[in-house]
Amino acid sequence: MMNSTHRYLWVLVCSLLMLPFKGHAQETFEVPVKKDEVEEARFRSDLEARLRQDIESYLGNNRFIIQVDAVIERARTVVRESGQPAPAQQPPQLPAKPRVSGSISLPDIESNNLDDLEELPGLPVSEMPLLKENNEKLRALHSQLQQLEKERQEIISYADQLKDVAQQKQQAQAGQPSEKTIGYRNIIKKLEITLVVDNGLKDEQIEFLKNLVTRKAQINELRGDTLNIVKTGFSHLKKEETPLSFWEAYNPWIWLASLLVVGLLLVLAFLALWRRLNQPITSVPTAHSGLDTAADSAKGTGIARQSEGDTAALRYRINESRQRLVSQGLSQPHRFQQAVSQALGSAQAFEVASLSATMGKSLFASLAPHLTPADWKQIDDLLQEGDWNEEQLSEGMEQFSQRLERQQDDASNTQPFAFLNKLNDSQVLFLIKDEDIRIKALVMSQLPAQRSADIILRLDSRELADIAFELGQFESLPVSAFKDVADRLAKASLTVPSFENITADGLSVLIGMLDKMTTSEETRMLKTLKSEKPETYYRLRQVYFTFADLSRTPDRIISNELRILDTVILTASLCNTSIEFKRYVLAALPAKLRAGIINELKVSEAATAQDQIESARRQVVQKMRDVIREGRFSMDELAEVKQG
């Protein structure tokens, strides 16, 4: 019972609260306005585009025509608010307008004729008539001012009465309804859609198109909308093809012909190289004419003793030995030269003579540059004394190859890690990069102290500490203890790539690239590098001095180092720079040099070519880099000046 009582009381309170709002009702209605022709045309165009896109996805292109005709009306949406009607009252009456005189006029006051008064000589003139006239005028003006003040008060009272009348009219009109426009909208009055399709369409396709257009266009038959589908025949025109250019038409064939030509040239080059490498030795080259006769006789004797097959095999073996010894001489020059010296010092000097005869004097001299004129005289004498044939040449080359092998075996037995001497630092690092720390430490222990220190410093800090710890654990070990490790690494060293042509100093390459650029390109490159790769930028700036850095270089450096440059170079480098830049650089130079540069700038700055300016700036920059390289100035000082 208590809950129902409370519910009834709550409903009663809400009803009482809603009573004041019932007096203000809102009514929304639409008022037709003039339609927008442009908006109507845009609506038809958009509807046609949407329908054309959907139908083209189903039928394809050039198989239909669609036309949309629409009638659109524009309406204004209005909200009418009606308030509580006010009680009927008598319309207020306007008050009577006050009368206003409008202007002030001075009254005419009669005065006595002053000319009738006789002026006696020696007596003062009487001013009483003039004062009397002025007093009359003042009294007349005072009365007019009082009249104007009275009229002003009447006007103020009239204005207050008009204000009261306006308020009464406003209160009387408070109960009348008011209208407010909230927007405009377009109303479709009628749609007429005509779809022309091909005769070849089936009935189910026509039905599908009818349903599609009806749903997409929201056709309403009650509104009077119509959809007409007409069948007709379409003539399918072939698309006119644009003639291709010669390059577009024969591009694949041109590429194929180019590849064939390149392949043919490679094959010819390979065949020429193969023939040169397998060229038979018909004579022994020497500087003396008597050697040619000996070679011819040796050739005749060899041909008489051997058959054609044996001769070809012997020549092939000689060429193979020649190539192997040339490779060993290039890869192991120290060992090759040592073997040549041993052969000349023993009774086996004919081995060296056979090498000179087979390789040619110029090639052999490049492999053994340590030979003295006496050694060459001994070789020439040997070649002139004997009748050299192909068997003797082959025998001498084989014996020299065995000498090299014995020398290598002796070195490997006494020094298992002697092969490391043939590798450079980069190759040693490549060889041990995947090895255990103990193996790396073992390899470092077999290298000279300076070279080992250079290689270790190229490792990271953690590996450096581990290798240093392992080196501290080593003692003198027998050769057999790590012979297996040395043999395995020696075998692996044969496949180590050559790093001779690989530039290890990336900053030098980057500096070279920047030096080839213009000043604007260099500035843009440095800004990009600073934003994208700040670590590389700051490493580069430790050694890379630019022309713009002159404005932050200490005065003493500019004065001491640039004074030795030619005045023409300094003048050209300062052309087309800012006034602040010129002022800073010139202030640091000696007075005499500064005066000469200023005079040159006045005369030749406008006529100096940009190429000459860039060349002069590069010379100035190179001079400052030489100063940095020699230690007389560092980029840290430049940074301090910049910060200051």
Side-chain angles (χ1 to χ4, degrees):
M1 289 296 291
M2 293 297 293
N3 292 335
S4 60
T5 304
H6 291 163
R7 188 180 299 110
Y8 292 147
L9 290 175
W10 176 251
V11 171
L12 180 60
V13 171
C14 291
S15 301
L16 293 176
L17 292 175
M18 293 297 293
L19 285 176
F21 299 99
K22 290 182 179 180
H24 300 279
Q26 291 185 351
E27 179 184 0
T28 304
F29 59 95
E30 294 180 345
V31 178
V33 296
K34 184 180 180 181
K35 67 178 181 179
D36 190 353
E37 299 292 342
V38 177
E39 189 70 25
E40 187 178 60
R42 186 183 295 112
F43 172 77
R44 289 198 300 268
S45 177
D46 294 344
L47 184 57
E48 280 185 6
R50 292 199 303 270
L51 294 176
R52 184 181 298 107
Q53 182 179 4
D54 294 335
I55 298 173
E56 185 176 349
S57 301
Y58 178 66
L59 292 181
N61 196 9
N62 297 330
R63 298 193 65 188
F64 69 94
I65 299 174
I66 187 169
Q67 180 181 3
V68 176
D69 189 11
V71 179
I72 296 178
E73 290 185 355
R74 188 174 179 84
R76 178 170 62 93
T77 304
V78 180
V79 175
R80 177 181 295 167
E81 296 181 355
S82 59
Q84 185 177 359
Q89 296 180 359
Q90 186 74 16
Q93 299 294 332
L94 294 177
K97 295 182 179 181
R99 297 179 62 184
V100 181
S101 60
S103 61
I104 300 176
S105 61
L106 293 176
D108 295 332
I109 302 175
E110 296 181 357
S111 59
N112 296 325
N113 191 2
L114 298 180
D115 296 334
D116 298 335
L117 298 177
E118 182 180 0
E119 296 182 2
L120 296 179
L123 295 177
V125 179
S126 176
E127 296 180 357
M128 290 301 295
L130 183 60
L131 293 176
K132 181 179 180 181
E133 181 182 355
N134 290 339
N135 290 334
E136 290 295 336
K137 290 182 179 181
L138 289 176
R139 282 195 295 272
L141 289 175
H142 182 68
S143 62
Q144 288 187 8
L145 289 176
Q146 290 179 352
Q147 180 66 26
L148 290 176
E149 179 64 24
K150 180 179 179 181
E151 291 176 358
R152 189 179 71 84
Q153 294 297 332
E154 291 178 357
I155 292 173
I156 293 174
S157 176
Y158 177 72
D160 293 337
Q161 292 175 6
L162 289 178
K163 184 177 180 181
D164 295 339
V165 171
Q167 291 179 355
Q168 292 176 8
K169 287 184 177 181
Q170 185 177 4
Q171 292 176 0
Q173 294 177 358
Q176 297 180 1
S178 61
E179 296 180 355
K180 181 180 180 182
T181 301
I182 62 174
Y184 295 85
R185 76 184 188 97
N186 295 324
I187 303 173
I188 301 175
K189 301 300 293 183
K190 187 178 181 181
L191 275 178
E192 292 183 2
I193 300 177
T194 302
L195 177 62
V196 182
V197 297
D198 193 4
N199 283 329
L201 295 182
K202 300 178 182 180
D203 294 338
E204 54 269 21
Q205 291 178 313
I206 298 296
E207 189 64 25
F208 176 80
L209 291 174
K210 183 177 181 181
N211 295 333
L212 175 64
V213 175
T214 301
R215 286 195 299 269
K216 294 292 290 186
Q218 298 181 0
I219 294 178
N220 188 358
E221 295 180 354
L222 299 178
R223 188 173 55 192
D225 299 345
T226 58
L227 171 61
N228 300 322
I229 299 180
V230 181
K231 289 186 177 182
T232 185
F234 283 80
S235 58
H236 300 282
L237 300 176
K238 293 184 179 180
K239 184 179 181 182
E240 183 179 357
E241 297 182 356
T242 304
L244 300 177
S245 63
F246 177 81
W247 176 257
E248 293 175 347
Y250 298 99
N251 187 20
W253 297 103
I254 293 176
W255 279 108
L256 180 59
S258 302
L259 292 177
L260 290 177
V261 171
V262 173
L264 181 60
L265 293 176
L266 290 177
V267 171
L268 293 177
F270 177 76
L271 290 176
L273 180 62
W274 183 81
R275 288 180 180 178
R276 183 176 182 84
L277 294 177
N278 293 276
Q279 181 180 359
I281 301 177
T282 58
S283 61
V284 180
T286 182
H288 303 277
S289 60
L291 186 59
D292 296 336
T293 306
D296 293 337
S297 61
K299 177 181 179 183
T301 304
I303 294 176
R305 285 200 307 245
Q306 298 177 349
S307 63
E308 290 295 333
D310 295 339
T311 303
L314 183 60
R315 291 173 179 173
Y316 178 79
R317 189 164 61 251
I318 291 175
N319 287 329
E320 186 178 15
S321 300
R322 175 177 177 271
Q323 296 176 13
R324 183 176 67 254
L325 290 175
V326 170
S327 300
Q328 291 179 350
L330 294 174
S331 61
Q332 304 175 12
H334 178 71
R335 185 168 297 167
F336 184 87
Q337 296 171 14
Q338 185 178 1
V340 170
S341 300
Q342 291 178 358
L344 289 175
S346 61
Q348 306 297 327
F350 74 95
E351 299 176 4
V352 181
S354 63
L355 293 179
S356 177
T358 306
M359 297 180 182
K361 190 173 182 179
S362 59
L363 177 60
F364 181 70
S366 63
L367 296 177
H370 67 291
L371 295 179
T372 62
D375 295 335
W376 282 110
K377 186 177 184 304
Q378 182 182 0
I379 295 172
D380 293 339
D381 292 342
L382 286 175
L383 292 175
Q384 291 179 1
E385 291 174 358
D387 296 332
W388 293 87
N389 55 25
E390 294 178 348
E391 289 183 353
Q392 292 175 343
L393 295 175
S394 176
E395 183 180 358
M397 296 176 68
E398 290 294 336
Q399 291 184 10
F400 188 81
S401 298
Q402 294 175 4
R403 181 184 298 276
L404 281 177
E405 292 177 358
R406 289 194 304 269
Q407 186 179 5
Q408 184 174 359
D409 293 339
D410 295 340
S412 61
N413 291 330
T414 57
Q415 297 179 354
F417 288 91
F419 67 92
L420 295 176
N421 297 327
K422 300 182 297 182
L423 306 178
N424 56 34
D425 294 351
S426 299
Q427 290 175 321
V428 172
L429 288 174
F430 182 85
L431 179 65
I432 64 174
K433 66 176 182 178
D434 297 327
E435 298 292 339
D436 186 68
I437 292 296
R438 295 178 61 85
I439 302 300
K440 294 181 180 180
L442 182 61
V443 172
M444 294 296 108
S445 66
Q446 301 304 310
L447 294 174
Q450 182 61 41
R451 187 182 181 190
S452 177
D454 295 338
I455 296 176
I456 288 179
L457 291 177
R458 296 174 61 177
L459 301 174
D460 56 40
S461 58
R462 184 175 180 180
E463 281 189 326
L464 193 150
D466 295 340
I467 291 175
F469 175 77
E470 293 295 338
L471 287 174
Q473 305 297 319
F474 283 165
E475 296 178 356
S476 58
L477 298 175
V479 174
S480 59
F482 47 85
K483 184 69 168 57
D484 295 337
V485 176
D487 293 341
R488 179 173 61 82
L489 293 178
K491 185 177 180 181
S493 66
L494 299 177
T495 60
V496 171
S498 176
F499 296 94
E500 294 178 357
N501 296 329
I502 298 178
T503 303
D505 191 358
L507 287 180
S508 299
V509 176
L510 186 57
I511 291 173
M513 292 172 55
L514 291 171
D515 287 339
K516 299 297 182 182
M517 300 179 181
T518 61
T519 304
S520 59
E521 294 173 346
E522 177 191 51
T523 304
R524 183 169 65 253
M525 181 68 178
L526 290 176
K527 288 182 178 179
T528 304
L529 190 64
K530 184 177 182 180
S531 60
E532 299 294 337
K533 301 293 182 182
E535 296 180 358
T536 305
Y537 171 78
Y538 288 114
R539 286 199 304 114
L540 174 66
R541 291 295 285 157
Q542 292 298 318
V543 295
Y544 187 70
F545 186 92
T546 64
F547 185 75
D549 293 333
L550 277 179
S551 62
R552 300 187 296 272
T553 305
D555 297 344
R556 59 178 179 83
I557 301 298
I558 297 177
S559 176
N560 296 335
E561 305 299 339
L562 297 187
R563 68 168 64 190
I564 63 177
L565 292 178
D566 194 335
T567 306
V568 177
I569 296 176
L570 292 177
T571 303
S573 65
L574 291 177
C575 290
N576 298 338
T577 58
S578 63
I579 298 178
E580 292 78 8
F581 189 91
K582 291 187 181 73
R583 183 181 296 114
Y584 182 84
V585 176
L586 292 174
L589 296 175
K592 186 176 180 180
L593 179 60
R594 178 169 64 249
I597 294 176
I598 291 174
N599 294 332
E600 289 292 334
L601 284 174
K602 292 179 180 179
V603 176
S604 62
E605 181 173 10
T608 305
Q610 186 63 31
D611 295 341
Q612 184 179 357
I613 295 175
E614 294 292 341
S615 176
R617 290 179 180 178
R618 281 193 290 269
Q619 295 183 48
V620 174
V621 169
Q622 187 59 44
K623 174 61 180 177
M624 295 304 300
R625 292 178 184 173
D626 294 340
V627 174
I628 295 175
R629 192 179 301 110
E630 294 170 3
R632 300 198 300 271
F633 171 60
S634 67
M635 297 297 286
D636 294 335
E637 299 180 46
L638 182 69
E640 293 175 1
V641 174
K642 182 179 180 180
Q643 293 171 0

